[in-house]
Amino acid sequence: MARPSTRDAVVPTDGGDRRPSTASAVFSQALPGAAVAAVVALALTALSGAETYARLGLPDPGPVVTYGLPVVRALTESAAVVTVGALLLAAFLVPPRGLGWLAADGYRAVRVASWSAAVWAGGAVVTGVFAIADAFARPLSVVLTTGTLTESLTGLPAARIWFLTAGVAVCCAVLARLALSWHAAVGAFVLAVLGVLPAAFGGHSGTGSAHDVAMNSLALHVVAAALWVGGLLAVLVHATVRGVHLPTAAGRFSTTAFWCWVVLALSGTVNALLRVNPADLLVTTYGLLLLAKVAGLVVLGVFGAAHRTRTLPDVEAGSRSALVRLGGVEVLIMFATIGVAVALGRTPPPEMTTPLPSRVEALLGYSLDRPLDLTGLVTSARPDLLLGTAAVVAAIMYLAGVRRLRARGVVWSARRTTSWLVGCATLLVATSSGIGAYAPAQFSVHMFQQVLVLVVVAPAWVLGRPGVLIAAVRGRGPEEVPGPAEWLPALRRSRAGRWVTTPVVATLVFVGTGWLLDVGGLFDTLVPEHVGHLTMTVWALVTGCLFTRVVADATVRVPVRTGMVAVAAVGQAALAVTVATSSRIVGADHWRQLGLPFVDRAADQALGGIVLAVAVVPLLCLLAVARTRSDVQVSR
């Protein structure tokens, strides 16, 4: 089938159809909400603006910075949620056309996302400039006319966060502008979700004891909020322009909204317990703002229940008015809550009556006072709210899909189920046991964690064939589902995708990542930060899945796939020898700051090299996969 053009993606309308334009619908829904968020953030910041600088011992930078920063940030975050919501609609709430091309509804949504992402990028740059002035407590004019701005681009975390966000938003805008296929919309959606995370990893949650748990919970909180607020806004715009898939979009979003509400409630509770004592809720500005957020969440939960019981049946019956009216009020409350959140981020939390954290606790978020042993795998366990939760949810959803197949009399391979569950269990152990706690503190434990993810979790998940399971649950063959059923062929529909999924590139990425981290020095940059360690773990999972999927691809000749495994095994063995025998201590500055007395860093690095060498064994097991054709059919 020929690649559809931009013209093909527009729905023709007859002369009597006076539907509002997409632009007017977006402006009518988003602009009032953004204005509400900005006004609420400004008003609430006025209550604590002087207190913020006084608590930090800084001079007042002037009203432009004090009150301009929350307004600009509220507007920037409003543009971010519009982007996330539009791409959520295009990628998951409305169905695509045949062979995975975007239908008209999805195309309109990605065009909206391209413009809102551009606004988001510009707002992030402006917010970064204001954040620099705020950090140095200097007027904006002084920052712009001196060398403070350029000096802060690399040295100030607040500046790096917002300029990184701007870069991601630009990439998202470009991809959304060019997107015509469902897979491009999904890629833009992933970028947009990643773009809201940097701001979550700064602020109050990035410091103090238990900051690892606080940052993970806040990341879940921010993503859930963006999906919920942006998704509702996108559905309302879809209803306003009379999209043809409104019942489907509204029904899917209702389920999404419920789980977003649950995640918001749980993650918000975790973060609040780490930052404020219950006794301070009614007597401090921070506590009162926190209670305002709770009240907003409760009210929005009532609105959500009303949607499920009243407006969804009306939408199914063909009426949109109740959804637009009730949803319009709900969106304004949501944006007001965003304003409260911005003001909360500007307000210092009350001082906790706890002892000062130790050096290790300040760096990691928790204390380590003895070497890791078998008992410590359990007693030193520290739950990973991101990857550990993802492992549990992935196992539950997979089993639910298998159960649905069995209810229809379809037999699903027990081997695939076992493979998937082994991967989930291994990921849970690697991230939420003592291994996860000691990985940022010991090189050998870090390598063991990465090896588990790279050559156990990733292959187990690929061989579990979750995409084929999704296709079977939907009652279609893998080739009919433009989703993750056969994501490798889908990636190869684009020039970039074909390049990434070639055996040579997949092997180079798989092997080269370890060399770049451990020999190239990237590990030293990433390991001091919780976000850096999380990035390495996620990247290991992604590269492992890509490599294993190409090895299991029946369209690639067997000798080529066998050669991939052989090259990867040799590369890993060579890296193991290099690391174990190197005189340079990888991550030496970070280990020196930790100062753990029970770790001999040279011996620990040598042990890490041995762990890398052991990884060659499961790699060689992939030879059995490489020498067979990958089965894709569902047994019936």
Side-chain angles (χ1 to χ4, degrees), residues 63 81 91 109 250 294 345 375 377 379 536 589:
V81 299
V294 172
T375 304
L377 289 175
T379 58
M536 286 187 283
D589 291 340

Side-chain angles (χ1 to χ4, degrees), residues 256-315:
T256 303
F258 170 76
W259 288 110
C260 286
W261 189 90
V262 171
V263 172
L264 281 168
L266 294 178
S267 59
T269 300
V270 170
N271 216 282
L273 291 175
L274 294 174
R275 295 287 160 252
V276 61
N277 288 318
D280 294 326
L281 288 175
L282 296 175
V283 297
T284 62
T285 303
Y286 191 91
L288 292 174
L289 291 177
L290 199 59
L291 290 177
K293 280 194 65 178
V294 172
L297 186 63
V298 172
V299 171
L300 291 173
V302 174
F303 272 85
H307 277 303
R308 296 177 73 90
T309 57
R310 294 176 53 189
T311 61
L312 283 183
D314 289 346
V315 170

Side-chain angles (χ1 to χ4, degrees), residues 11-19:
V11 174
T13 60
D14 56 38
D17 189 0
R18 297 179 178 273
R19 69 179 68 189

